[in-house]
Amino acid sequence: MLGVNHARAEYVFFMDSDDQFSKNDVLLEINQVVENYRPDVITVNIQHAFYDEKNELNLGKIIYNYKHADKYLIKEGNVKLLTKTFGTNICARFIKRELLEGINFLDLPYTQDWNISSKLFSKVKSFYFINNAYYIYIYRSHKESFNSITDIIKYYKDNHIDKVNRYFLNDRIVKFCFLYISKSSYFDINEGFERANRLIKKEIKFDKFFFNNMTLLKMFFLIKNKF
């Protein structure tokens, strides 16, 4: 929101700090679309990717693959089509800055994209879809992401605050493992279950506080039963 408020260009673009364009001249093609059509929103396709053990980038499947790509569409008369193809992501879109004015950005742990893009849709009148997957969305490896929760556990133990914060730690361990497994479509999901269950067995402390957290219990049993 700070960036949008300080921007002076006609269009703004969101990109996660660890993602990238698929080639160097993407902005030149976008500029050509702007000059020819001046749509409210320009959307490109997204391609998943991940770094392997040799730190080499491997490209995966393309998502949000619009059937009506490379096409200019007016919202009026195409609401059903645009509702289906608009997607929920805020990245990979060039947006007229003025349309984001008055849209509040909620401080959410997840679903910020859903929130902003849903509000944006009501203000947009014209779209241009580009078929090429110009936005590379990087998936981080299991080992990298799993280091996050193990580092948190180590921090609490090293500072001898793990017992007094046990309710919080139990909550974070289970929720992290649940998210870790549910996001593992590009990796070995069985390995994800094994690592999550090993961590839960080693670090979870079963007490009355654990069994009073219904959300945690549901996630715990789904993980144990390999949902």
Side-chain angles (χ1 to χ4, degrees), residues 96-149:
K96 278 191 175 179
R97 178 178 53 82
E98 62 184 30
L99 298 178
L100 291 167
E101 295 177 359
I103 294 180
N104 60 314
F105 286 38
L106 294 182
D107 184 9
L108 301 170
Y110 302 104
T111 71
Q112 302 99 325
D113 284 18
W114 292 65
N115 184 276
I116 300 168
S117 61
S118 296
K119 295 171 182 174
L120 176 67
F121 185 82
S122 67
K123 304 173 75 172
V124 177
K125 296 180 180 179
S126 59
F127 300 80
Y128 193 93
F129 295 113
I130 294 178
N131 189 48
N132 292 323
Y134 284 154
Y135 190 95
I136 305 299
Y137 179 80
I138 307 298
Y139 268 128
R140 293 299 169 182
S141 74
H142 268 47
K143 292 180 180 178
E144 291 177 6
S145 63
F146 213 80
N147 288 341
S148 176
I149 189 63

Side-chain angles (χ1 to χ4, degrees), residues 171-198:
D171 181 89
R172 285 299 180 269
I173 292 169
V174 173
K175 287 181 178 177
F176 178 90
C177 288
F178 188 89
L179 179 65
Y180 171 72
I181 294 169
S182 66
K183 296 292 184 181
S184 64
S185 59
Y186 264 86
F187 307 94
D188 187 345
I189 195 168
N190 290 317
E191 179 186 348
F193 275 115
E194 290 175 6
R195 295 189 72 183
N197 276 301
R198 281 199 302 269

Side-chain angles (χ1 to χ4, degrees), residues 11-200:
Y11 288 82
V12 295
F13 180 80
F14 295 86
M15 176 175 276
D16 288 350
S17 60
D18 58 345
D19 295 339
Q20 61 191 52
F21 285 128
S22 62
K23 60 178 187 174
N24 294 330
D25 59 352
V26 169
L27 294 180
L28 291 176
E29 181 169 335
I30 298 300
N31 190 59
Q32 192 63 51
V33 173
V34 169
E35 291 182 356
N36 292 339
Y37 298 95
R38 306 204 81 77
D40 289 339
V41 172
I42 303 169
T43 300
V44 302
N45 276 326
I46 299 174
Q47 187 163 20
H48 284 168
F50 64 94
Y51 285 98
D52 60 21
E53 294 181 354
K54 296 181 180 179
N55 203 35
E56 294 180 353
L57 187 66
N58 290 263
L59 297 178
K61 66 179 181 180
I62 296 176
I63 57 174
Y64 302 124
N65 194 11
Y66 300 103
K67 295 180 180 179
H68 298 270
D70 291 331
K71 186 173 184 179
Y72 178 77
L73 288 173
I74 300 295
K75 185 177 182 180
E76 185 178 356
N78 292 292
V79 173
K80 288 186 177 179
L81 171 62
L82 290 172
T83 299
K84 181 179 180 180
T85 58
F86 189 61
T88 60
N89 60 301
I90 198 67
C91 293
R93 282 186 176 151
F94 296 83
I95 304 166
K96 278 191 175 179
R97 178 178 53 82
E98 62 184 30
L99 298 178
L100 291 167
E101 295 177 359
I103 294 180
N104 60 314
F105 286 38
L106 294 182
D107 184 9
L108 301 170
Y110 302 104
T111 71
Q112 302 99 325
D113 284 18
W114 292 65
N115 184 276
I116 300 168
S117 61
S118 296
K119 295 171 182 174
L120 176 67
F121 185 82
S122 67
K123 304 173 75 172
V124 177
K125 296 180 180 179
S126 59
F127 300 80
Y128 193 93
F129 295 113
I130 294 178
N131 189 48
N132 292 323
Y134 284 154
Y135 190 95
I136 305 299
Y137 179 80
I138 307 298
Y139 268 128
R140 293 299 169 182
S141 74
H142 268 47
K143 292 180 180 178
E144 291 177 6
S145 63
F146 213 80
N147 288 341
S148 176
I149 189 63
T150 54
D151 179 68
I152 292 170
I153 295 170
K154 183 178 184 301
Y155 170 82
Y156 276 82
K157 285 185 174 180
D158 289 348
N159 289 280
H160 308 291
I161 53 175
D162 53 314
K163 292 182 179 179
V164 70
N165 291 283
R166 178 46 54 185
Y167 181 85
F168 175 82
L169 268 179
N170 280 348
D171 181 89
R172 285 299 180 269
I173 292 169
V174 173
K175 287 181 178 177
F176 178 90
C177 288
F178 188 89
L179 179 65
Y180 171 72
I181 294 169
S182 66
K183 296 292 184 181
S184 64
S185 59
Y186 264 86
F187 307 94
D188 187 345
I189 195 168
N190 290 317
E191 179 186 348
F193 275 115
E194 290 175 6
R195 295 189 72 183
N197 276 301
R198 281 199 302 269
L199 184 67
I200 286 175

